[in-house]
Amino acid sequence: MADASQAEAFMVAGREDGVIAPTYLFHTLQLSRLIKPGDVVLDLACGPANQLAQVARVNPEAEFIGIDASESMLGFAADTVKRFALDNVRFESCYIQDLKPFADQSVDLVMSTMSLHHLPDEKTLTASFQEAARVLKPDGAVYLADFSRLKREASRRFFAEQHAEQQSELFTTDYLNSLRAAFTAQDFKQAMQVFGAGVRFQATGLVPFMVVVSKGQPHRLTDTVLAHCKAIHASLQPPQQQDFLDLKRFFSLGGLSTPDIPPQQRHPAPSKPETPPAPRTVKKPYTDASQQQHEKHKKAKKNF
């Protein structure tokens, strides 16, 4: 994704009010179960760093390094980190299949979210996993998440277009092309063998549209991490919260559990208002049309 307009569309979709926000929260919860204070975490193909910045905010005692081969993406990534005033994130420009700036066994965790489908072929995917294994410490952890190739074009179009009202046309097109370019489950299973014993492959149940390759022993989240994630969850619009819940359920069917985030009432009403409250105008990236689209989504799951 070297084009600047594509990079910007992806960055906007991944912000707190964007359509990818529920997916980022899911991955933040999963990653935080593998990250320990003092860890060095390497994010492969970090893009505009929306995901990376969120994980770094939730885990301030870890050090994060984002790499990307796109200069436009790294420019957006620097802006993202500046926006959140993060001091535990830095960036390097390189290809993920050639991690020359990093020494053998130098990082504690290798992560990547929703980026591997940009690789051109299975050979490059294998080379990227080999490089990740090289720089990973012997007891290091792995979390690599991406799309999985769906068999039907109608299924790919459904996922790409389900929130078309809330995303740019360019992002919808890129989303569809990403689903078309995704690797198969077998591609991931073959490439991940380089990580050795203990590596896991898990996919969403019923509809195998997303996969996670992971390694490491998940630990219980601290109250501080849970509080951060709960605040992020509370900032999502209701349809986004439903998307997050759906993703949790899909992965649960595939054997990957996710820590619970208790629901939170964001705007409690006064017990007995003396006068009716004045109408409020709130900008909602998710509209009533989005809610209707979500209901359509739930009814259509069985068709995949």
Side-chain angles (χ1 to χ4, degrees):
M1 192 182 293
D3 183 83
S5 59
Q6 290 177 300
E8 183 175 8
F10 185 67
M11 176 198 66
V12 171
R15 285 192 168 180
E16 293 79 2
D17 59 354
V19 294
I20 313 177
T23 303
Y24 284 164
L25 177 57
F26 174 86
H27 293 313
T28 292
L29 281 163
Q30 297 293 342
L31 280 159
S32 297
R33 297 201 297 171
L34 297 171
I35 297 171
K36 302 181 296 294
D39 276 357
V40 176
V41 180
L42 180 63
D43 186 6
L44 306 178
C46 66
N50 289 317
Q51 176 77 81
L52 178 56
Q54 186 175 103
V55 179
R57 285 158 52 203
V58 173
N59 297 274
E61 296 181 359
E63 177 188 350
F64 294 84
I65 308 168
I67 66 167
D68 205 285
S70 168
E71 292 301 325
S72 60
M73 280 295 189
L74 289 176
F76 286 125
D79 291 341
T80 301
V81 167
K82 183 178 180 180
R83 181 160 56 97
F84 289 106
L86 297 173
D87 60 4
N88 61 335
V89 181
R90 63 183 178 88
F91 299 101
E92 295 275 357
S93 177
C94 70
Y95 291 95
I96 66 174
Q97 66 267 33
D98 188 12
L99 301 176
K100 287 182 179 178
F102 303 95
D104 295 356
Q105 302 181 7
S106 57
V107 301
D108 298 284
L109 187 149
V110 175
M111 62 174 277
S112 181
T113 57
M114 319 315 295
S115 295
L116 296 172
H117 57 272
H118 291 295
L119 296 174
D121 50 41
E122 294 86 347
K123 181 179 179 180
T124 312
L125 178 69
T126 299
S128 300
F129 279 28
Q130 289 172 338
E131 277 290 85
R134 176 184 67 80
V135 303
L136 192 65
K137 293 180 180 179
D139 59 347
V142 174
Y143 187 87
L144 307 171
D146 200 16
F147 299 119
S148 179
R149 188 180 304 167
L150 295 168
K151 294 181 180 180
R152 298 176 56 210
E153 176 68 6
S155 301
R156 294 189 285 266
R157 285 191 173 276
F158 177 84
F159 281 103
E161 297 170 1
Q162 63 177 316
H163 294 310
E165 298 88 350
Q166 285 76 46
Q167 61 199 30
S168 70
E169 183 177 350
L170 178 57
F171 177 80
T172 300
T173 300
D174 285 342
Y175 193 169
L176 178 59
N177 289 334
S178 294
L179 291 169
R180 289 168 174 165
F183 293 102
T184 66
Q186 188 59 33
D187 292 334
F188 285 110
K189 290 178 180 178
Q190 290 179 350
M192 75 183 198
Q193 298 306 315
V194 70
F195 294 114
V199 65
R200 300 177 292 272
F201 174 89
Q202 290 160 308
T204 50
L206 300 181
V207 186
F209 66 94
M210 195 179 297
V211 301
V212 170
V213 173
S214 64
K215 183 177 181 179
Q217 184 60 44
H219 58 76
R220 181 181 178 183
L221 296 180
T222 66
D223 291 342
T224 302
V225 169
L226 279 174
H228 276 298
C229 292
K230 186 175 181 179
I232 295 169
H233 182 265
S235 72
L236 301 177
Q237 296 292 332
Q240 290 177 301
Q241 293 181 353
Q242 185 62 51
D243 285 346
F244 170 74
L245 181 60
D246 286 345
L247 189 56
K248 281 183 59 178
R249 288 171 174 168
F250 271 126
F251 265 114
S252 177
L253 292 171
L256 179 60
S257 63
T258 309
D260 289 329
I261 299 178
Q264 186 179 62
Q265 186 177 1
R266 294 186 299 163
H267 301 294
S271 55
K272 291 184 178 181
E274 295 181 0
T275 57
R280 296 178 61 194
T281 301
V282 180
K283 182 181 179 182
K284 290 186 177 181
Y286 274 64
T287 63
D288 291 340
S290 172
Q291 184 66 50
Q292 295 169 4
Q293 187 72 14
H294 178 74
E295 294 301 323
K296 178 182 176 183
H297 180 192
K298 291 195 292 186
K299 293 178 182 178
K301 287 177 184 173
K302 63 182 181 180
N303 297 324
F304 294 92

